[in-house]
Amino acid sequence: MSTITMTPGRLLRWKPQVDGRGLLTTTVKLVALPAAGILVFLLLWSAGARNIDTSLGQFPGPLAVGEQFGALYTEHQRSREKEVAFYERQRERNARRVAEDPGYEPKIRDYTGKETFIDQIGTSLVTVMSGFLLAAMIAIPLGIAIGLSPGLNAACNPIIQVFKPVSPLAWLPLVTMVVSALYATPDPVIAKSFINSMITVTLCCLWPMVINTAVGVASIDRDLVNVSRVLRLPPLQHVRRIVLPASVPMIFTGMRLSLGVAWMVLIAAEMLAQNPGLGKFVWDEFQNGSSDSLARIMAAVIVIGFIGFLLDRSMLQLQRFFSWDKGTATH
Amino acid sequence: MSVLLDISQVGMEFPTNDGPFTALRDVNLKIRKGEFVSLIGHSGCGKSTVLNIVAGLHRATSGGVILDGREVTDPGPERAVVFQNHSLLPWLTAYENVELAVRQVFGKTRGKAEQREWIEHNLKLVHMEHAMQKRPGEISGGMKQRVGIARALAMQPKVLLMDEPFGALDALTRAHMQDSLMEIQAELNNTVIMITHDVDEAVLLSDRIVMMTNGPAATIGEVLEVDLERPRHRLELAGDPRYNRLRARVLKFLHERHGGSPRNDSTSKTSTTRAAADEPAVHEAEGVESAA
Ligand SMILES: Nc1ncnc2c1ncn2[C@@H]1O[C@H](COP(=O)(O)OP(=O)(O)OP(=O)(O)O)[C@@H](O)[C@H]1O
Ligand SMILES: [Mg+2]
């Protein structure tokens, strides 16, 4: 990952060098080599694509995918225009009816057009962040408690070890049924499908955070704990001043792992459960089976990868910002 | 002067996988107010264990420690500890590290400005006023150790406990730190127990040198009064026959006493209370193992 990507971290750390040769090597490393890597990939891809024929036509090459990016964006804009027009028409109609009959109460119906690719990206991002934050709110305090108390650790350890390797897709049916049973309001403010996806994400990204936090807390330098004891820090102060800062690097490592897991889990869950999001987009296109479908799926794949990458980088930046131990916050 | 700290009949057994391990037996030592005592002995004989018992970080399995008329049962700021590897909080600056201690000890009795002054005063005492806003990662080992000492001094402890405070430093820095410590000691006249491996350091700094026999069941083998007048200067002392005699005495002890105490392994006490098991050590080991 370190050699072929042009990471923001590298750019930030990059200091122009005075001597010309140094500058040249840096430019080659930062721009030319990654560019060459991408170029070779594109060439291989288009060469490969030309030789693969599927029942939906030829496998899309980079150009076809690029075209679909354009098409997806145009569709999105057109859908927005339609939405605006829809509300406009509705307002006019209501105004007319009120003019004819002053007692008429105007009704506003929601626009129910098909979600565009960009809407689906938004949905997926919101879902993944909600699930992740919910997991963090549970996992970090729990991890701290487990790390501090050997008894609690012994009690929770078997459960954690068993649930950690469970695939999200195994959880999904259970989550769906439980949510349907417990969240049975006729007019839900938050869509059930959103809650299903979110909870599935939460269940899967809980464990890396719990484990890393607990290990971080339990492996605090004995001397630092002794400092706290000599100072007679009360328990809450002990957690706030010693335990939490000392385990921040490990907590963030867990959070980064979790967010990566969360993003992968979410796409799979959306595909399987037909819940709105990028996963559903991919599935719909697959079912659709038009000649553009594969190119559109490929576009989605690239976007999914890119978002995953950006999420990871954002976590890394957060970690850099919060962590005192700059050594742990690399790549 | 009166006895400030009384270590009497202290014994220590650690529970291990192969049954209890007797680290200390019958350790007796009385320390007067303002006295500087160093503990010297071979590695693993139990020096840190003695210090940790005085600090309250360990509970002795038998006997006890009385400080100023009160029995020591748990750690507290009146027995400040300077650890071997500085143990500063790496996310806090030098100033904040001392501040944490000062706020904890004097937070209720002194105002903000007064605390600030006191923190700066202590950092000046160890010549760290120029690097108050630096974090431990940005300063040298000697400087870290200075901040650690400032933090301990700032608690105004009744006894200052130092576990090989200069062990990790190079010879030159160590000499420098020893001179600093003597200066501070001349000014504050603290009661100090210091562990060391360095015979010269022991003779140079101490009023008394306590020599420990080798473990298991280590105890105090010999106590040596150092009656060299203060202030002491290392260069002048190097040619002083009294200094060399004291030095030779300690060296001789360390070379002769390879065996354990005379009552080794024959009369191990049968009834032991395990109440004082070393909780943090056990905790840490378990936490890492099972959570990994
Ligand atoms: N928590 C523990 N559990 C079991 N044994 C211990 C424990 N702590 C210390 N010991 C044993 O007690 C003995 C004394 O240890 P201690 O750390 O006091 O030695 P020391 O004189 O400080 O050594 P050094 O000079 O190397 O620091 C050693 O043999 C050690 O193995
Ligand atoms: Mg030791």
Side-chain angles (χ1 to χ4, degrees):
Chain A
M1 160 140 204
S2 61
T3 51
I4 55 166
T5 48
M6 213 167 65
T7 69
R10 273 164 175 249
L11 283 176
L12 284 180
R13 264 179 279 143
W14 175 54
K15 293 200 191 77
Q17 295 179 12
V18 215
D19 102 83
R21 257 190 61 203
L23 185 64
L24 195 67
T25 20
T26 329
T27 321
V28 166
K29 259 197 191 153
L30 277 172
V31 183
L33 289 181
I38 292 171
L39 199 70
V40 169
F41 171 73
L42 290 178
L43 284 175
L44 286 177
W45 174 13
S46 37
R50 236 171 285 141
N51 293 317
I52 302 173
D53 277 308
T54 71
S55 58
L56 293 177
Q58 203 182 57
F59 193 84
L63 280 180
V65 172
E67 241 168 63
Q68 284 310 315
F69 269 117
L72 286 167
Y73 185 66
T74 326
E75 272 169 37
H76 174 70
Q77 277 182 323
R78 206 163 301 140
S79 162
R80 274 296 122 83
E81 279 161 18
K82 265 197 215 157
E83 186 180 346
V84 171
F86 171 80
Y87 283 116
E88 183 66 21
R89 271 202 312 281
Q90 204 171 205
R91 224 189 48 233
E92 276 170 20
R93 196 170 342 119
N94 280 335
R96 231 182 301 125
R97 303 246 327 235
V98 172
E100 287 166 12
D101 168 18
Y104 175 75
E105 291 218 346
K107 272 193 223 106
I108 307 274
R109 264 185 222 90
D110 283 339
Y111 177 71
T112 50
K114 189 170 168 284
E115 282 137 325
T116 67
F117 184 57
I118 291 172
D119 295 335
Q120 303 282 37
I121 293 177
T123 311
S124 284
L125 276 176
V126 170
T127 317
V128 82
M129 287 321 288
S130 321
F132 173 73
L133 289 178
L134 180 64
M137 281 190 302
I138 299 168
I140 293 172
L142 182 65
I144 290 175
I146 290 176
L148 284 175
S149 149
L152 193 61
N153 183 14
C156 295
N157 200 36
I159 301 169
I160 294 176
Q161 298 300 338
V162 168
F163 283 147
K164 189 181 63 164
V166 173
S167 159
L169 308 181
W171 282 117
L172 195 61
L174 298 175
V175 171
T176 311
M177 295 317 288
V178 170
V179 169
S180 302
L182 297 183
Y183 189 64
T185 46
D187 185 24
V189 188
I190 306 169
K192 247 181 221 167
S193 59
F194 170 80
I195 292 184
N196 288 338
S197 304
M198 185 185 86
I199 290 179
T200 309
V201 166
T202 303
L203 283 174
C204 292
C205 62
L206 214 51
W207 315 115
M209 279 194 271
V210 172
I211 292 169
N212 275 280
T213 307
V215 170
V217 169
S219 56
I220 294 178
D221 190 347
R222 267 270 306 260
D223 281 348
L224 297 189
V225 176
N226 282 340
V227 167
S228 169
R229 291 175 67 199
V230 167
L231 287 174
R232 291 215 181 105
L233 290 182
L236 266 179
Q237 288 272 325
H238 173 66
V239 170
R240 203 166 77 85
R241 305 222 162 257
I242 312 280
V243 171
L244 210 53
S247 35
V248 152
M250 279 298 270
I251 293 178
F252 268 98
T253 305
M255 285 170 80
R256 259 181 91 193
L257 276 174
S258 277
L259 192 57
V261 170
W263 185 239
M264 286 208 236
V265 160
L266 177 69
I267 303 299
E270 285 168 351
M271 272 181 88
L272 190 72
Q274 310 279 299
N275 291 342
L278 277 170
K280 181 166 159 44
F281 174 87
V282 170
W283 188 251
D284 285 350
E285 287 300 335
F286 179 55
Q287 294 298 315
N288 198 358
S290 81
S291 57
D292 289 336
S293 284
L294 288 184
R296 289 159 78 93
I297 291 176
M298 195 63 203
V301 165
I302 291 172
V303 167
I304 291 169
F306 205 69
I307 291 175
F309 169 70
L310 287 182
L311 287 175
D312 189 59
R313 288 289 129 178
S314 329
M315 276 313 289
L316 187 64
Q317 289 304 321
L318 272 182
Q319 177 171 18
R320 287 229 175 90
F321 183 76
F322 282 111
S323 184
W324 45 272
D325 187 3
K326 302 299 173 199
T328 58
T330 49
H331 305 292
Chain B
M1 252 186 279
S2 61
V3 170
L4 176 74
L5 184 77
D6 189 354
I7 303 171
S8 67
Q9 288 301 112
V10 162
M12 187 71 183
E13 287 193 11
F14 289 110
T16 65
N17 290 338
D18 338 313
F21 170 80
T22 312
L24 298 175
R25 182 179 298 161
D26 300 338
V27 175
N28 287 294
L29 185 64
K30 288 182 172 41
I31 296 175
R32 293 184 300 272
K33 193 162 186 301
E35 207 176 7
F36 194 117
V37 172
S38 38
L39 275 183
I40 199 163
H42 285 280
S43 186
C45 71
K47 304 180 292 296
S48 296
T49 309
V50 171
L51 200 85
N52 285 334
I53 289 171
V54 176
L57 294 166
H58 287 167
R59 275 303 287 277
T61 28
S62 58
V65 177
I66 292 172
L67 172 66
D68 215 5
R70 277 258 215 49
E71 183 169 6
V72 168
T73 52
D74 58 343
E78 79 279 2
R79 281 160 283 123
V81 186
V82 177
F83 297 90
Q84 175 165 7
N85 63 343
H86 70 81
S87 63
L88 298 176
L89 307 182
W91 52 91
L92 298 181
T93 63
Y95 181 90
E96 290 165 336
N97 264 288
V98 180
E99 186 186 31
L100 181 71
V102 168
R103 196 173 341 141
Q104 191 59 24
V105 179
F106 300 113
K108 291 196 182 96
T109 51
R110 298 186 187 181
K112 271 252 150 19
E114 204 182 343
Q115 283 183 38
R116 187 184 179 82
E117 216 169 90
W118 178 240
I119 296 163
E120 285 170 359
H121 169 79
N122 280 284
L123 282 163
K124 274 190 194 121
L125 210 56
V126 296
H127 305 297
M128 282 300 295
E129 62 272 32
H130 60 286
M132 288 200 292
Q133 298 311 329
K134 291 219 164 99
R135 295 202 180 164
E138 305 163 334
I139 58 181
S140 71
M143 289 159 95
K144 279 183 258 205
Q145 214 46 269
R146 283 173 193 274
V147 178
I149 293 173
R151 175 174 65 187
L153 291 174
M155 300 180 209
Q156 282 196 321
K158 287 178 181 162
V159 199
L160 180 59
L161 305 171
M162 302 203 274
D163 193 344
E164 292 184 53
F166 313 136
L169 305 179
D170 62 277
L172 223 65
T173 314
R174 191 188 307 183
H176 212 74
M177 297 290 292
Q178 289 162 357
D179 292 341
S180 281
L181 189 60
M182 277 195 288
E183 257 172 54
I184 293 169
Q185 191 54 15
E187 193 179 327
L188 303 179
N189 204 29
N190 275 314
T191 311
V192 182
I193 304 180
M194 181 181 78
I195 294 177
T196 180
H197 272 129
D198 182 338
V199 178
D200 287 293
E201 181 171 280
V203 179
L204 185 67
L205 296 175
S206 319
D207 298 315
R208 271 195 298 163
I209 301 174
V210 172
M211 293 173 260
M212 290 186 64
T213 62
N214 288 354
T219 187
I220 292 173
E222 204 175 316
V223 180
L224 188 67
E225 283 296 329
V226 182
D227 45 6
L228 302 168
E229 54 284 343
R230 294 177 190 268
R232 300 170 183 168
H233 300 284
R234 65 179 68 244
L235 290 178
E236 290 166 22
L237 284 176
D240 189 324
R242 285 179 304 159
Y243 175 84
N244 285 322
R245 233 184 349 260
L246 291 163
R247 211 176 158 275
R249 186 86 207 88
V250 180
L251 276 175
K252 188 156 173 278
F253 176 90
L254 291 178
H255 279 275
E256 279 172 0
R257 290 292 183 122
H258 287 299
S261 68
R263 300 194 297 153
N264 208 2
D265 64 325
S266 54
T267 52
S268 86
K269 280 174 195 152
T270 39
S271 70
T272 50
T273 40
R274 296 274 182 85
D278 187 10
E279 281 169 338
V282 171
H283 173 181
E284 180 177 305
E286 279 183 3
V288 172
E289 188 192 16
S290 43

